[in-house]
Amino acid sequence: MTDAALLSTLALVLVSVLLSLWQQLRLERDLLVGTVRTFLQLLAIGYVLTFVFRQNRWYFTAGILLLMTLVAAHNAAGKGKKIPGIFWRVILAIGLGEVVTLGLMLSLHIIGGSPRFVIPVAGMIVGNAMVAAGLVLNRFQADIRLQRREVEAALALGASPRQAVEGVLQAAVKGGMMPTIDSMKTVGLVTLPGMMTGSILAGADPLLAVKYQIMVMLMLSSATAISSITLGFTLYRAYFNQAEQMIIPGNSARP
């Protein structure tokens, strides 16, 4: 793609801005800021990756992976700011999903160990794990407040904290995994995902592109499952004190 062709895609942003003005959505500033950040951030990472690929040193690769994980954890943890230690709970969930999934792919020689393979694959894993973590946080916080009386009643009848929040926990974990599962059910029928589309546009054989996309979908299902379950099982503990009484983080009222 030429630079002129790339700049011409700004016309698509103009359409969005005009629609926002027409419907008085007041999204023009966000759209423009998002467009500028997209250009700057992607161009910056393009230069960084060019340098890292040429150097081909493991410590540069590790640094990129660590940075991606920290940024993803910070973004997801922002959805549960009042929960004690939420950043560390989220970074554990995302990191575990990344390490297990990427480690298996490397050990089974599914992908090569060079930065050209590791960094893009890790980026997809971390990005989807981040989204899953955010969904788990949102769902758990909403449901635990709605079902507080049921949880407290279960505790009063002798249930452990884990047993008392069983339904809330399962719903939150399912909520984190569901977008990936829905994508797996409709891939190829409703959408042609990024990996497959990019490969085809680059001139790859469609069947080869399909094989790569299958690998990606299975990889993401593993990462989101690990991250969602890990976050769920560490998250619920923040809602109980040492006496196994339920608390709502950030509430000044008595539990």
Side-chain angles (χ1 to χ4, degrees):
M1 177 182 287
T2 64
D3 291 342
L6 179 61
L7 290 174
S8 67
T9 58
L10 291 173
L12 302 174
V13 180
L14 179 60
V15 172
S16 300
V17 170
L18 291 175
L19 289 174
S20 177
L21 288 170
W22 176 41
Q23 292 296 315
Q24 298 182 350
L25 300 177
R26 299 180 181 176
L27 293 174
E28 305 84 50
R29 183 177 182 276
D30 290 334
L31 285 167
L32 294 174
V33 170
T35 301
V36 172
R37 289 190 60 171
T38 296
F39 270 83
L40 294 179
Q41 290 170 189
L42 289 179
L43 286 173
I45 196 61
Y47 285 113
V48 170
L49 290 180
T50 299
F51 172 79
V52 172
F53 290 170
R54 287 175 178 171
Q55 296 299 314
N56 196 22
R57 295 289 188 271
W58 69 268
Y59 42 84
F60 285 129
T61 302
I64 293 290
L65 299 189
L66 178 61
L67 178 62
M68 289 192 300
T69 306
L70 290 173
V71 172
H74 175 75
N75 183 69
K79 295 176 173 58
K81 294 179 180 179
K82 295 181 180 180
I83 301 173
I86 187 58
F87 175 77
W88 300 108
R89 298 174 196 271
V90 172
I91 201 170
L92 172 64
I94 294 177
L96 189 60
E98 178 186 8
V99 169
V100 172
T101 305
L102 189 60
L104 278 173
M105 295 183 72
L106 288 170
S107 62
L108 295 174
H109 304 290
I110 298 173
I111 62 172
S114 70
R116 186 173 298 275
F117 296 107
V118 173
I119 293 175
V121 169
M124 288 186 283
I125 292 173
V126 172
N128 280 267
M130 175 189 70
V131 172
L135 291 172
V136 170
L137 271 172
N138 283 338
R139 183 65 181 270
F140 190 91
Q141 291 178 100
D143 286 0
I144 198 72
R145 291 178 182 274
L146 289 174
Q147 300 183 38
R148 180 171 183 173
R149 293 185 181 276
E150 290 85 346
V151 173
E152 290 177 333
L155 291 171
L157 293 172
S160 67
R162 171 72 174 78
Q163 292 170 328
V165 298
E166 180 77 25
V168 176
L169 186 57
Q170 288 184 351
V173 172
K174 288 179 181 177
M177 296 175 59
M178 196 53 63
T180 301
I181 294 173
D182 287 342
S183 294
M184 294 176 72
K185 290 179 179 178
T186 59
V187 64
L189 299 176
V190 178
T191 60
L192 297 180
M195 170 69 81
M196 181 176 173
T197 302
S199 299
I200 292 174
L201 289 176
D205 181 85
L207 289 178
L208 179 61
V210 164
K211 291 179 182 178
Y212 278 115
Q213 190 60 54
I214 291 172
M215 176 198 75
V216 168
M217 298 304 296
L218 300 182
M219 169 189 79
L220 297 183
S221 69
S222 170
T224 54
I226 294 170
S227 297
S228 297
I229 292 172
T230 301
L231 181 57
F233 277 89
T234 59
L235 178 61
Y236 86 88
R237 300 177 189 277
Y239 283 76
F240 296 90
N241 59 24
Q242 292 183 346
E244 296 190 346
Q245 296 172 317
M246 185 180 175
I247 58 175
I248 299 294
N251 274 15
S252 57
R254 293 175 65 250

PDB file of all heavy atoms in Angstrom, residues 148-181:
ATOM      1  N   ARG A 148     -25.993  -9.915  46.152  1.00  0.00           N
ATOM      2  CA  ARG A 148     -25.354  -9.831  47.468  1.00  0.00           C
ATOM      3  C   ARG A 148     -26.165 -10.548  48.540  1.00  0.00           C
ATOM      4  O   ARG A 148     -25.604 -11.268  49.373  1.00  0.00           O
ATOM      5  CB  ARG A 148     -25.157  -8.361  47.848  1.00  0.00           C
ATOM      6  CG  ARG A 148     -24.495  -8.181  49.203  1.00  0.00           C
ATOM      7  CD  ARG A 148     -24.122  -6.749  49.467  1.00  0.00           C
ATOM      8  NE  ARG A 148     -23.421  -6.621  50.728  1.00  0.00           N
ATOM      9  CZ  ARG A 148     -22.860  -5.503  51.166  1.00  0.00           C
ATOM     10  NH1 ARG A 148     -22.920  -4.411  50.416  1.00  0.00           N
ATOM     11  NH2 ARG A 148     -22.241  -5.461  52.323  1.00  0.00           N
ATOM     12  N   ARG A 149     -27.468 -10.366  48.547  1.00  0.00           N
ATOM     13  CA  ARG A 149     -28.299 -11.001  49.572  1.00  0.00           C
ATOM     14  C   ARG A 149     -28.239 -12.520  49.469  1.00  0.00           C
ATOM     15  O   ARG A 149     -28.190 -13.225  50.490  1.00  0.00           O
ATOM     16  CB  ARG A 149     -29.744 -10.516  49.453  1.00  0.00           C
ATOM     17  CG  ARG A 149     -29.930  -9.040  49.784  1.00  0.00           C
ATOM     18  CD  ARG A 149     -31.392  -8.638  49.769  1.00  0.00           C
ATOM     19  NE  ARG A 149     -31.569  -7.233  50.052  1.00  0.00           N
ATOM     20  CZ  ARG A 149     -31.623  -6.701  51.271  1.00  0.00           C
ATOM     21  NH1 ARG A 149     -31.497  -7.501  52.333  1.00  0.00           N
ATOM     22  NH2 ARG A 149     -31.785  -5.402  51.434  1.00  0.00           N
ATOM     23  N   GLU A 150     -28.239 -13.041  48.244  1.00  0.00           N
ATOM     24  CA  GLU A 150     -28.161 -14.490  48.070  1.00  0.00           C
ATOM     25  C   GLU A 150     -26.831 -15.042  48.568  1.00  0.00           C
ATOM     26  O   GLU A 150     -26.769 -16.099  49.199  1.00  0.00           O
ATOM     27  CB  GLU A 150     -28.354 -14.849  46.593  1.00  0.00           C
ATOM     28  CG  GLU A 150     -29.772 -14.638  46.059  1.00  0.00           C
ATOM     29  CD  GLU A 150     -30.023 -13.212  45.613  1.00  0.00           C
ATOM     30  OE1 GLU A 150     -29.204 -12.325  45.950  1.00  0.00           O
ATOM     31  OE2 GLU A 150     -31.041 -12.981  44.927  1.00  0.00           O
ATOM     32  N   VAL A 151     -25.751 -14.297  48.281  1.00  0.00           N
ATOM     33  CA  VAL A 151     -24.423 -14.730  48.726  1.00  0.00           C
ATOM     34  C   VAL A 151     -24.346 -14.710  50.249  1.00  0.00           C
ATOM     35  O   VAL A 151     -23.853 -15.664  50.879  1.00  0.00           O
ATOM     36  CB  VAL A 151     -23.331 -13.821  48.122  1.00  0.00           C
ATOM     37  CG1 VAL A 151     -21.968 -14.148  48.718  1.00  0.00           C
ATOM     38  CG2 VAL A 151     -23.291 -13.976  46.605  1.00  0.00           C
ATOM     39  N   GLU A 152     -24.855 -13.657  50.874  1.00  0.00           N
ATOM     40  CA  GLU A 152     -24.819 -13.558  52.331  1.00  0.00           C
ATOM     41  C   GLU A 152     -25.695 -14.622  52.979  1.00  0.00           C
ATOM     42  O   GLU A 152     -25.359 -15.155  54.048  1.00  0.00           O
ATOM     43  CB  GLU A 152     -25.247 -12.163  52.769  1.00  0.00           C
ATOM     44  CG  GLU A 152     -24.218 -11.092  52.409  1.00  0.00           C
ATOM     45  CD  GLU A 152     -24.667  -9.689  52.782  1.00  0.00           C
ATOM     46  OE1 GLU A 152     -25.903  -9.461  52.834  1.00  0.00           O
ATOM     47  OE2 GLU A 152     -23.797  -8.827  53.013  1.00  0.00           O
ATOM     48  N   ALA A 153     -26.819 -14.945  52.336  1.00  0.00           N
ATOM     49  CA  ALA A 153     -27.677 -16.008  52.865  1.00  0.00           C
ATOM     50  C   ALA A 153     -26.962 -17.352  52.824  1.00  0.00           C
ATOM     51  O   ALA A 153     -27.051 -18.155  53.765  1.00  0.00           O
ATOM     52  CB  ALA A 153     -28.972 -16.074  52.065  1.00  0.00           C
ATOM     53  N   ALA A 154     -26.238 -17.601  51.726  1.00  0.00           N
ATOM     54  CA  ALA A 154     -25.482 -18.856  51.619  1.00  0.00           C
ATOM     55  C   ALA A 154     -24.396 -18.924  52.684  1.00  0.00           C
ATOM     56  O   ALA A 154     -24.162 -19.984  53.293  1.00  0.00           O
ATOM     57  CB  ALA A 154     -24.870 -18.974  50.230  1.00  0.00           C
ATOM     58  N   LEU A 155     -23.736 -17.810  52.955  1.00  0.00           N
ATOM     59  CA  LEU A 155     -22.716 -17.769  54.007  1.00  0.00           C
ATOM     60  C   LEU A 155     -23.339 -18.054  55.372  1.00  0.00           C
ATOM     61  O   LEU A 155     -22.771 -18.777  56.200  1.00  0.00           O
ATOM     62  CB  LEU A 155     -22.030 -16.404  54.027  1.00  0.00           C
ATOM     63  CG  LEU A 155     -21.125 -16.059  52.833  1.00  0.00           C
ATOM     64  CD1 LEU A 155     -20.702 -14.594  52.900  1.00  0.00           C
ATOM     65  CD2 LEU A 155     -19.897 -16.961  52.807  1.00  0.00           C
ATOM     66  N   ALA A 156     -24.526 -17.487  55.616  1.00  0.00           N
ATOM     67  CA  ALA A 156     -25.208 -17.683  56.891  1.00  0.00           C
ATOM     68  C   ALA A 156     -25.603 -19.143  57.097  1.00  0.00           C
ATOM     69  O   ALA A 156     -25.693 -19.619  58.233  1.00  0.00           O
ATOM     70  CB  ALA A 156     -26.439 -16.789  56.963  1.00  0.00           C
ATOM     71  N   LEU A 157     -25.820 -19.854  56.015  1.00  0.00           N
ATOM     72  CA  LEU A 157     -26.195 -21.269  56.101  1.00  0.00           C
ATOM     73  C   LEU A 157     -24.978 -22.186  56.163  1.00  0.00           C
ATOM     74  O   LEU A 157     -25.113 -23.411  56.123  1.00  0.00           O
ATOM     75  CB  LEU A 157     -27.075 -21.644  54.904  1.00  0.00           C
ATOM     76  CG  LEU A 157     -28.460 -20.986  54.880  1.00  0.00           C
ATOM     77  CD1 LEU A 157     -29.166 -21.277  53.561  1.00  0.00           C
ATOM     78  CD2 LEU A 157     -29.302 -21.483  56.053  1.00  0.00           C
ATOM     79  N   GLY A 158     -23.786 -21.594  56.206  1.00  0.00           N
ATOM     80  CA  GLY A 158     -22.581 -22.393  56.392  1.00  0.00           C
ATOM     81  C   GLY A 158     -21.747 -22.615  55.145  1.00  0.00           C
ATOM     82  O   GLY A 158     -20.758 -23.355  55.188  1.00  0.00           O
ATOM     83  N   ALA A 159     -22.113 -21.983  54.043  1.00  0.00           N
ATOM     84  CA  ALA A 159     -21.335 -22.157  52.814  1.00  0.00           C
ATOM     85  C   ALA A 159     -20.005 -21.418  52.932  1.00  0.00           C
ATOM     86  O   ALA A 159     -19.899 -20.404  53.626  1.00  0.00           O
ATOM     87  CB  ALA A 159     -22.114 -21.628  51.617  1.00  0.00           C
ATOM     88  N   SER A 160     -18.989 -21.930  52.266  1.00  0.00           N
ATOM     89  CA  SER A 160     -17.703 -21.233  52.201  1.00  0.00           C
ATOM     90  C   SER A 160     -17.828 -20.089  51.207  1.00  0.00           C
ATOM     91  O   SER A 160     -18.760 -20.070  50.379  1.00  0.00           O
ATOM     92  CB  SER A 160     -16.606 -22.197  51.754  1.00  0.00           C
ATOM     93  OG  SER A 160     -16.823 -22.598  50.409  1.00  0.00           O
ATOM     94  N   PRO A 161     -16.918 -19.106  51.262  1.00  0.00           N
ATOM     95  CA  PRO A 161     -16.973 -18.017  50.269  1.00  0.00           C
ATOM     96  C   PRO A 161     -16.989 -18.536  48.840  1.00  0.00           C
ATOM     97  O   PRO A 161     -17.725 -18.025  47.994  1.00  0.00           O
ATOM     98  CB  PRO A 161     -15.705 -17.214  50.573  1.00  0.00           C
ATOM     99  CG  PRO A 161     -15.484 -17.423  52.028  1.00  0.00           C
ATOM    100  CD  PRO A 161     -15.900 -18.849  52.285  1.00  0.00           C
ATOM    101  N   ARG A 162     -16.191 -19.549  48.572  1.00  0.00           N
ATOM    102  CA  ARG A 162     -16.137 -20.115  47.217  1.00  0.00           C
ATOM    103  C   ARG A 162     -17.481 -20.693  46.804  1.00  0.00           C
ATOM    104  O   ARG A 162     -17.943 -20.493  45.686  1.00  0.00           O
ATOM    105  CB  ARG A 162     -15.045 -21.194  47.176  1.00  0.00           C
ATOM    106  CG  ARG A 162     -15.012 -22.027  45.890  1.00  0.00           C
ATOM    107  CD  ARG A 162     -14.492 -21.213  44.722  1.00  0.00           C
ATOM    108  NE  ARG A 162     -14.339 -22.024  43.555  1.00  0.00           N
ATOM    109  CZ  ARG A 162     -15.331 -22.409  42.745  1.00  0.00           C
ATOM    110  NH1 ARG A 162     -16.568 -22.021  43.004  1.00  0.00           N
ATOM    111  NH2 ARG A 162     -15.091 -23.150  41.690  1.00  0.00           N
ATOM    112  N   GLN A 163     -18.133 -21.401  47.718  1.00  0.00           N
ATOM    113  CA  GLN A 163     -19.440 -21.976  47.412  1.00  0.00           C
ATOM    114  C   GLN A 163     -20.504 -20.895  47.270  1.00  0.00           C
ATOM    115  O   GLN A 163     -21.400 -20.998  46.428  1.00  0.00           O
ATOM    116  CB  GLN A 163     -19.835 -22.954  48.520  1.00  0.00           C
ATOM    117  CG  GLN A 163     -18.977 -24.212  48.576  1.00  0.00           C
ATOM    118  CD  GLN A 163     -19.226 -25.037  49.820  1.00  0.00           C
ATOM    119  OE1 GLN A 163     -19.540 -24.499  50.882  1.00  0.00           O
ATOM    120  NE2 GLN A 163     -19.097 -26.353  49.696  1.00  0.00           N
ATOM    121  N   ALA A 164     -20.399 -19.847  48.096  1.00  0.00           N
ATOM    122  CA  ALA A 164     -21.410 -18.789  48.082  1.00  0.00           C
ATOM    123  C   ALA A 164     -21.418 -18.002  46.775  1.00  0.00           C
ATOM    124  O   ALA A 164     -22.465 -17.520  46.342  1.00  0.00           O
ATOM    125  CB  ALA A 164     -21.183 -17.845  49.267  1.00  0.00           C
ATOM    126  N   VAL A 165     -20.249 -17.856  46.160  1.00  0.00           N
ATOM    127  CA  VAL A 165     -20.173 -17.060  44.922  1.00  0.00           C
ATOM    128  C   VAL A 165     -20.080 -17.939  43.673  1.00  0.00           C
ATOM    129  O   VAL A 165     -19.744 -17.447  42.598  1.00  0.00           O
ATOM    130  CB  VAL A 165     -18.964 -16.095  44.959  1.00  0.00           C
ATOM    131  CG1 VAL A 165     -19.089 -15.102  46.089  1.00  0.00           C
ATOM    132  CG2 VAL A 165     -17.646 -16.860  45.047  1.00  0.00           C
ATOM    133  N   GLU A 166     -20.385 -19.213  43.816  1.00  0.00           N
ATOM    134  CA  GLU A 166     -20.245 -20.154  42.696  1.00  0.00           C
ATOM    135  C   GLU A 166     -20.935 -19.656  41.432  1.00  0.00           C
ATOM    136  O   GLU A 166     -20.354 -19.618  40.350  1.00  0.00           O
ATOM    137  CB  GLU A 166     -20.812 -21.513  43.095  1.00  0.00           C
ATOM    138  CG  GLU A 166     -20.721 -22.586  42.016  1.00  0.00           C
ATOM    139  CD  GLU A 166     -19.327 -23.154  41.895  1.00  0.00           C
ATOM    140  OE1 GLU A 166     -18.577 -23.090  42.884  1.00  0.00           O
ATOM    141  OE2 GLU A 166     -18.998 -23.666  40.815  1.00  0.00           O
ATOM    142  N   GLY A 167     -22.208 -19.266  41.554  1.00  0.00           N
ATOM    143  CA  GLY A 167     -22.958 -18.834  40.383  1.00  0.00           C
ATOM    144  C   GLY A 167     -22.409 -17.557  39.779  1.00  0.00           C
ATOM    145  O   GLY A 167     -22.302 -17.426  38.550  1.00  0.00           O
ATOM    146  N   VAL A 168     -22.056 -16.589  40.625  1.00  0.00           N
ATOM    147  CA  VAL A 168     -21.494 -15.327  40.154  1.00  0.00           C
ATOM    148  C   VAL A 168     -20.167 -15.570  39.454  1.00  0.00           C
ATOM    149  O   VAL A 168     -19.888 -14.998  38.392  1.00  0.00           O
ATOM    150  CB  VAL A 168     -21.303 -14.349  41.337  1.00  0.00           C
ATOM    151  CG1 VAL A 168     -20.623 -13.071  40.865  1.00  0.00           C
ATOM    152  CG2 VAL A 168     -22.632 -14.035  41.987  1.00  0.00           C
ATOM    153  N   LEU A 169     -19.351 -16.424  40.043  1.00  0.00           N
ATOM    154  CA  LEU A 169     -18.028 -16.707  39.488  1.00  0.00           C
ATOM    155  C   LEU A 169     -18.129 -17.389  38.130  1.00  0.00           C
ATOM    156  O   LEU A 169     -17.436 -17.022  37.177  1.00  0.00           O
ATOM    157  CB  LEU A 169     -17.245 -17.583  40.469  1.00  0.00           C
ATOM    158  CG  LEU A 169     -15.786 -17.883  40.139  1.00  0.00           C
ATOM    159  CD1 LEU A 169     -14.994 -16.597  39.980  1.00  0.00           C
ATOM    160  CD2 LEU A 169     -15.172 -18.760  41.226  1.00  0.00           C
ATOM    161  N   GLN A 170     -18.990 -18.366  38.024  1.00  0.00           N
ATOM    162  CA  GLN A 170     -19.152 -19.070  36.752  1.00  0.00           C
ATOM    163  C   GLN A 170     -19.657 -18.141  35.662  1.00  0.00           C
ATOM    164  O   GLN A 170     -19.193 -18.195  34.515  1.00  0.00           O
ATOM    165  CB  GLN A 170     -20.110 -20.251  36.933  1.00  0.00           C
ATOM    166  CG  GLN A 170     -19.529 -21.416  37.712  1.00  0.00           C
ATOM    167  CD  GLN A 170     -20.479 -22.593  37.773  1.00  0.00           C
ATOM    168  OE1 GLN A 170     -21.643 -22.499  37.376  1.00  0.00           O
ATOM    169  NE2 GLN A 170     -19.989 -23.721  38.270  1.00  0.00           N
ATOM    170  N   ALA A 171     -20.609 -17.278  35.995  1.00  0.00           N
ATOM    171  CA  ALA A 171     -21.153 -16.344  35.005  1.00  0.00           C
ATOM    172  C   ALA A 171     -20.082 -15.371  34.526  1.00  0.00           C
ATOM    173  O   ALA A 171     -20.012 -15.037  33.347  1.00  0.00           O
ATOM    174  CB  ALA A 171     -22.337 -15.586  35.603  1.00  0.00           C
ATOM    175  N   ALA A 172     -19.229 -14.910  35.456  1.00  0.00           N
ATOM    176  CA  ALA A 172     -18.171 -13.964  35.089  1.00  0.00           C
ATOM    177  C   ALA A 172     -17.146 -14.616  34.176  1.00  0.00           C
ATOM    178  O   ALA A 172     -16.712 -14.031  33.176  1.00  0.00           O
ATOM    179  CB  ALA A 172     -17.496 -13.427  36.349  1.00  0.00           C
ATOM    180  N   VAL A 173     -16.733 -15.841  34.515  1.00  0.00           N
ATOM    181  CA  VAL A 173     -15.753 -16.552  33.686  1.00  0.00           C
ATOM    182  C   VAL A 173     -16.321 -16.840  32.301  1.00  0.00           C
ATOM    183  O   VAL A 173     -15.643 -16.660  31.279  1.00  0.00           O
ATOM    184  CB  VAL A 173     -15.303 -17.855  34.378  1.00  0.00           C
ATOM    185  CG1 VAL A 173     -14.447 -18.696  33.436  1.00  0.00           C
ATOM    186  CG2 VAL A 173     -14.524 -17.536  35.655  1.00  0.00           C
ATOM    187  N   LYS A 174     -17.570 -17.265  32.248  1.00  0.00           N
ATOM    188  CA  LYS A 174     -18.218 -17.503  30.954  1.00  0.00           C
ATOM    189  C   LYS A 174     -18.288 -16.220  30.141  1.00  0.00           C
ATOM    190  O   LYS A 174     -18.096 -16.225  28.925  1.00  0.00           O
ATOM    191  CB  LYS A 174     -19.622 -18.073  31.161  1.00  0.00           C
ATOM    192  CG  LYS A 174     -19.649 -19.507  31.645  1.00  0.00           C
ATOM    193  CD  LYS A 174     -21.084 -19.979  31.848  1.00  0.00           C
ATOM    194  CE  LYS A 174     -21.134 -21.417  32.356  1.00  0.00           C
ATOM    195  NZ  LYS A 174     -22.531 -21.858  32.613  1.00  0.00           N
ATOM    196  N   GLY A 175     -18.581 -15.112  30.824  1.00  0.00           N
ATOM    197  CA  GLY A 175     -18.651 -13.831  30.131  1.00  0.00           C
ATOM    198  C   GLY A 175     -17.325 -13.441  29.501  1.00  0.00           C
ATOM    199  O   GLY A 175     -17.294 -12.860  28.417  1.00  0.00           O
ATOM    200  N   GLY A 176     -16.222 -13.771  30.189  1.00  0.00           N
ATOM    201  CA  GLY A 176     -14.911 -13.470  29.636  1.00  0.00           C
ATOM    202  C   GLY A 176     -14.559 -14.314  28.432  1.00  0.00           C
ATOM    203  O   GLY A 176     -13.867 -13.859  27.513  1.00  0.00           O
ATOM    204  N   MET A 177     -15.047 -15.545  28.415  1.00  0.00           N
ATOM    205  CA  MET A 177     -14.699 -16.472  27.334  1.00  0.00           C
ATOM    206  C   MET A 177     -15.661 -16.416  26.151  1.00  0.00           C
ATOM    207  O   MET A 177     -15.308 -16.837  25.048  1.00  0.00           O
ATOM    208  CB  MET A 177     -14.661 -17.902  27.886  1.00  0.00           C
ATOM    209  CG  MET A 177     -13.590 -18.149  28.925  1.00  0.00           C
ATOM    210  SD  MET A 177     -13.690 -19.820  29.626  1.00  0.00           S
ATOM    211  CE  MET A 177     -13.488 -20.809  28.133  1.00  0.00           C
ATOM    212  N   MET A 178     -16.874 -15.922  26.379  1.00  0.00           N
ATOM    213  CA  MET A 178     -17.914 -16.033  25.365  1.00  0.00           C
ATOM    214  C   MET A 178     -17.589 -15.352  24.032  1.00  0.00           C
ATOM    215  O   MET A 178     -17.888 -15.913  22.963  1.00  0.00           O
ATOM    216  CB  MET A 178     -19.240 -15.502  25.924  1.00  0.00           C
ATOM    217  CG  MET A 178     -20.447 -15.929  25.101  1.00  0.00           C
ATOM    218  SD  MET A 178     -20.520 -17.736  24.836  1.00  0.00           S
ATOM    219  CE  MET A 178     -20.696 -18.320  26.517  1.00  0.00           C
ATOM    220  N   PRO A 179     -16.988 -14.141  23.998  1.00  0.00           N
ATOM    221  CA  PRO A 179     -16.675 -13.551  22.687  1.00  0.00           C
ATOM    222  C   PRO A 179     -15.767 -14.428  21.842  1.00  0.00           C
ATOM    223  O   PRO A 179     -15.960 -14.541  20.627  1.00  0.00           O
ATOM    224  CB  PRO A 179     -15.984 -12.228  23.066  1.00  0.00           C
ATOM    225  CG  PRO A 179     -16.538 -11.883  24.398  1.00  0.00           C
ATOM    226  CD  PRO A 179     -16.702 -13.194  25.108  1.00  0.00           C
ATOM    227  N   THR A 180     -14.782 -15.062  22.476  1.00  0.00           N
ATOM    228  CA  THR A 180     -13.886 -15.946  21.732  1.00  0.00           C
ATOM    229  C   THR A 180     -14.628 -17.176  21.233  1.00  0.00           C
ATOM    230  O   THR A 180     -14.445 -17.615  20.087  1.00  0.00           O
ATOM    231  CB  THR A 180     -12.704 -16.385  22.620  1.00  0.00           C
ATOM    232  OG1 THR A 180     -12.001 -15.220  23.059  1.00  0.00           O
ATOM    233  CG2 THR A 180     -11.758 -17.287  21.850  1.00  0.00           C
ATOM    234  N   ILE A 181     -15.494 -17.734  22.079  1.00  0.00           N
ATOM    235  CA  ILE A 181     -16.273 -18.911  21.684  1.00  0.00           C
ATOM    236  C   ILE A 181     -17.221 -18.569  20.539  1.00  0.00           C
ATOM    237  O   ILE A 181     -17.363 -19.327  19.576  1.00  0.00           O
ATOM    238  CB  ILE A 181     -17.052 -19.465  22.891  1.00  0.00           C
ATOM    239  CG1 ILE A 181     -16.073 -20.002  23.941  1.00  0.00           C
ATOM    240  CG2 ILE A 181     -18.017 -20.565  22.460  1.00  0.00           C
ATOM    241  CD1 ILE A 181     -16.724 -20.424  25.239  1.00  0.00           C
TER     242      ILE A 181
END
